[in-house]
Amino acid sequence: MSEPPRFDRGHTDDLMSFLAASPSPYHAVANTAERLEKAGFRQVAETDAWDGSSGGKYVLRGGAIVAWYVPEGAAPHTPFRIVGAHTDSPNLRVKPLPDTGAHGWRQVAVEIYGGPLLNSWLDRDLGLAGRLSLRDGTTRLVNVDRPLLRVPQLAIHLDRSVSAEGLKLDKQRHLQPIWGLGNDVRDGDLIAFLEETAGLAAGEVTGWDLMTHSVEPPAYLGRDKELVAGPRMDNLLSVHAAAAALAAAATSGAALPAVPVLAAFDHEENGSQSDTGADGPLLGGVLERSVFARGGSYEDKARAFAATVCLSSDTGHAVHPNYAERHDPTHHPRVNGGPILKVNVNNRYATDGSGRAVWAAACEKAEVPFQSFVSNNSMPCGTTIGPITAARHGIKTVDIGVAILSMHSARELCGADDPWLLANSLLAFLEG
């Protein structure tokens, strides 16, 4: 008789709490670190010398986290099993000079981050969250998790063409949210408000990375509550599942043939080219230092990387009932049908046949069904951190994830079973 799955619907309950508590990449990595700490992981600083001791460790850098667990007695050439994901989501981000407004309205100047569905940010109660950089060189997280901002849509009476021609939004003119009333726009008002909110002295904040978020909490949806609606599933759903799987692998007592790793990067939504993105040096540096800290040589590092496998876990497209013609006619991933294997022969995804075999073995071990996704040949295909990871580090990489609807909306939709099915398959993969 097979063992019961390690994760069940309680994992989805926990995902909803994680989404609500993680309105920015900085909050997401802080919450991930807190969960790993409870599993015995400890933070190591990049500026310190690392030792070769066994156990769970993690590095935080901005909106990214890399965590790994070294099994007792692991040789320097022990390969890695990596789950890669990203912490950022498309949204509206505050500009360097945020205070603006006109005609008696006070507004916040924002810039478009990534590729959001712009209409999904209209007429929605928005909070403000992110990271404040202080005069003393430290940072402070801030989260105004209440209705603070709103991007009001133009009434149909003033734009009758919208019914016939559709909504047309100018990114500069039409998406600046309001946050109050007043004829005098004073520079520094928004940051002064956030200083007060965070319990900081006036003038203490000298830099910021701030973004909007919907304050509507995640919720079960549907007649039988078989769906989940919530923000930032792309891609905090994968971050949450990978962290849960890593913690479970580290505390299971099982003999691990590889070093399990979670790599959650920032800036995937705008190309990954940053010191905290997948196209930066963070992951490679951590893996190399782990090998060298255990007394390894360049040869050990080369051997370890050659046998390493990475699952690039990101959300994908479930078949849309109103737009089925936009999907490949023979590949229709359904929600609650299990995680998806993402394939594109032009390397927009990194999966090949041997990678499929690795993924199939993990799902078979976990007793989790999986589905396959390819794009309609007439439609452009998106991409992930998968090809970047494979090319930058020479690591076999497989693209997988959970099928959702409303991707890049302020509020996305997934099946209630798929998050825990993904977590079980990731755990089986990490345990080797």
Side-chain angles (χ1 to χ4, degrees):
M1 185 174 180
S2 61
E3 295 182 1
R6 201 77 58 91
F7 302 105
D8 54 22
R9 180 62 78 91
H11 175 87
T12 304
D13 294 337
D14 190 61
L15 167 64
M16 294 164 71
S17 298
F18 183 78
L19 293 174
S22 304
S24 78
Y26 314 107
H27 289 84
V29 299
N31 290 325
T32 300
E34 182 179 359
R35 290 160 183 260
L36 292 174
E37 290 269 359
K38 292 178 180 177
F41 284 69
R42 61 181 178 86
Q43 183 176 1
V44 294
E46 293 184 82
T47 54
D48 291 344
W50 292 5
D51 61 47
S53 60
S54 60
K57 305 168 186 180
Y58 68 89
V59 164
L60 290 181
R61 184 192 290 183
I65 181 171
V66 179
W68 66 103
Y69 179 81
V70 179
E72 190 73 38
H77 62 269
T78 301
F80 300 93
R81 286 229 158 186
I82 305 165
V83 179
H86 66 88
T87 61
D88 59 320
S89 300
N91 54 23
L92 311 178
R93 302 206 171 186
V94 176
K95 289 183 175 180
L97 299 175
D99 298 291
T100 186
H103 307 292
W105 296 100
R106 300 180 69 185
Q107 295 174 277
V108 175
V110 296
E111 191 173 2
I112 311 303
Y113 178 82
L117 286 172
L118 297 177
N119 63 292
S120 71
W121 291 90
L122 301 178
D123 296 332
R124 190 180 292 275
D125 295 338
L126 303 175
L128 197 62
R131 177 179 66 174
L132 301 174
S133 297
L134 309 186
R135 193 172 297 280
D136 63 3
T138 62
T139 60
R140 179 80 63 88
L141 298 185
V142 64
N143 181 13
V144 184
D145 196 29
R146 66 169 178 84
L148 178 70
L149 307 164
R150 183 182 177 94
V151 183
Q153 191 167 187
L154 184 66
I156 193 171
H157 313 79
L158 303 179
D159 184 11
R160 296 290 185 180
S161 66
V162 71
S163 296
E165 301 175 12
L167 180 65
K168 298 178 181 179
L169 295 172
D170 183 286
K171 293 180 180 179
Q172 179 61 42
R173 293 187 293 123
H174 298 152
L175 290 163
Q176 307 307 311
I178 60 172
W179 77 301
L181 300 174
N183 290 313
D184 56 330
V185 175
R186 298 182 299 272
D187 289 340
D189 274 3
L190 179 68
I191 300 306
F193 165 74
L194 293 174
E195 286 174 332
E196 182 180 358
T197 300
L200 298 169
E204 212 171 332
V205 172
T206 55
W208 52 87
D209 302 279
L210 299 166
M211 59 207 70
T212 58
H213 66 276
S214 171
V215 298
E216 185 180 2
Y220 284 109
L221 183 146
R223 185 191 66 179
D224 299 318
K225 298 183 178 180
E226 65 266 51
L227 302 169
V228 173
R232 299 176 294 282
M233 292 183 184
D234 179 14
N235 186 32
L236 295 188
L237 189 158
S238 293
V239 174
H240 175 261
L246 178 60
T251 57
S252 67
L256 301 175
V259 175
V261 180
L262 160 64
F265 301 102
D266 201 353
H267 303 130
E268 189 272 348
E269 298 292 356
N270 60 10
S272 296
Q273 291 186 321
S274 70
D275 68 327
T276 53
D279 203 16
L282 179 59
L283 176 61
V286 168
L287 300 184
E288 289 178 353
R289 292 184 69 176
S290 176
V291 170
F292 298 153
R294 284 176 277 134
S297 62
Y298 178 85
E299 184 73 11
D300 290 311
K301 175 224 163 181
R303 293 174 64 188
F305 276 41
T308 290
V309 184
C310 174
L311 293 184
S312 165
S313 182
D314 204 345
T315 54
H317 304 294
V319 61
H320 197 301
N322 299 336
Y323 300 90
E325 74 280 0
R326 301 295 182 98
H327 299 266
D328 182 86
T330 59
H331 293 76
H332 282 176
R334 299 189 177 192
V335 298
N336 288 335
I340 56 174
L341 177 76
K342 301 158 79 170
V343 178
N344 180 266
V345 295
N346 294 301
N347 287 331
R348 299 293 285 173
Y349 302 131
T351 306
D352 63 11
S354 61
R356 185 188 194 280
V358 172
W359 173 241
C363 289
E364 182 178 357
K365 177 183 176 183
E367 298 183 3
V368 168
F370 75 91
Q371 309 174 82
S372 295
F373 171 84
V374 295
S375 289
N376 186 308
N377 286 332
S378 300
M379 306 287 292
C381 180
T383 190
T384 68
I385 65 167
I388 294 171
T389 303
R392 182 171 182 82
H393 306 294
I395 290 173
K396 177 180 289 297
T397 304
V398 188
D399 271 293
I400 57 99
V402 162
I404 69 171
L405 292 182
S406 305
M407 186 184 294
H408 285 200
S409 172
R411 195 167 175 85
E412 297 162 324
L413 186 72
C414 77
D417 292 338
D418 285 329
W420 62 265
L421 291 173
L422 174 66
N424 280 315
S425 61
L426 295 183
L427 175 58
F429 166 76
L430 291 178
E431 290 183 334

